Structure formats: C-alpha cells, structure tokens
Amino acid sequence: QVQLVESGGGLVQSGGSLSVSCAASDSVFSYYVMAWYRQAPGKQRELVAEITVDGKTTYADSVKGRFTISRDNDDTTAYLQMNSLKPEDTAVYYCNMYHEKFRRQLNYWGQGTQVTVSS
C-alpha cells in the first residue's frame, strides 16, 4: 500500500508564499500522475494542479500564474509552490497519486495539510 505524507502547510499573510510537499513511500511514484487538491470549509474538494509522468502540468484557473507543481522522481516527492497567496486559497491541501490507466484501482491520497492565508 502506497503512503503519501504531506508537509509544509501553515499560516501565511496575504501576498506571501508557501510550499507544500508530498512524499510517497514507493518507487512506483515515477509511473503515477501527481495532483494537488484542496478543500475549503463548506466547499467541495477541487483540483488545484496536476503533473503527469512526463512532466506535463495543468492548473485550476484560480491559481494559474501563482502556483507551480513539480515532482522529483528520485526523491519520490511532489511539490506545490504557492506564491501571491490570497485568503481564498485557505483550505486543506491534499496530495493525490494515481495511475493514468488504472485510476480507479490505483489511486492514493495523503492526509492533508492546512494552509491558512490571513488578510
């Protein structure tokens, strides 16, 4: 069973920066898509950013130009660099790892890390 451990959340002022990371317990990491989701109180979980096996990235419109997703296959870790943070970015951020061909069967989630942006 693959385990994902997130770290790096915290409290930051509006306009500040924060980086969160997601460490995977298995070397199969390099064969999986990595994604970051977030869920704010009273709202549905939403996709923030995603990076494919070959490094192609996609972003939610709300974070384009401010957030950057990356991955290090040697360290089996994914990162989300968040700049120009806004209060509306406040949420629990979850790491997601899935196999593109077998998404339903091979799909893993981290425990979440809180990001709070004060105004």
Side-chain angles (χ1 to χ4, degrees):
Q1 178 74 9
V2 177
Q3 292 186 329
L4 302 176
V5 178
E6 295 124 334
S7 59
L11 174 65
V12 65
Q13 287 190 331
S14 180
S17 297
L18 204 60
S19 179
V20 290
S21 61
C22 172
S25 63
D26 200 304
S27 60
V28 297
F29 173 91
S30 62
Y31 300 103
Y32 283 65
V33 177
M34 297 301 300
W36 286 96
Y37 284 75
R38 67 185 181 187
Q39 187 167 19
K43 295 188 176 181
Q44 287 190 332
R45 190 173 296 190
E46 62 174 355
L47 176 65
V48 175
E50 188 173 88
I51 184 166
T52 65
V53 170
D54 56 2
K56 181 181 176 181
T57 58
T58 56
Y59 296 92
D61 287 343
S62 59
V63 306
K64 278 181 183 176
R66 300 189 298 122
F67 290 13
T68 303
I69 188 171
S70 61
R71 64 188 298 158
D72 186 330
N73 290 338
D74 291 335
D75 285 343
T76 65
T77 302
Y79 303 93
L80 184 68
Q81 175 66 41
M82 301 178 286
N83 299 327
S84 302
L85 282 160
K86 306 174 182 179
E88 51 263 44
D89 294 318
T90 295
V92 177
Y93 283 69
Y94 295 92
C95 176
N96 175 234
M97 172 176 159
Y98 69 88
H99 195 285
E100 196 166 16
K101 290 185 179 180
F102 305 103
R103 185 168 188 170
R104 191 167 57 177
Q105 302 95 318
L106 301 175
N107 196 321
Y108 308 98
W109 290 89
Q111 80 285 358
T113 184
Q114 177 70 45
V115 171
T116 303
V117 184
S118 63
S119 56

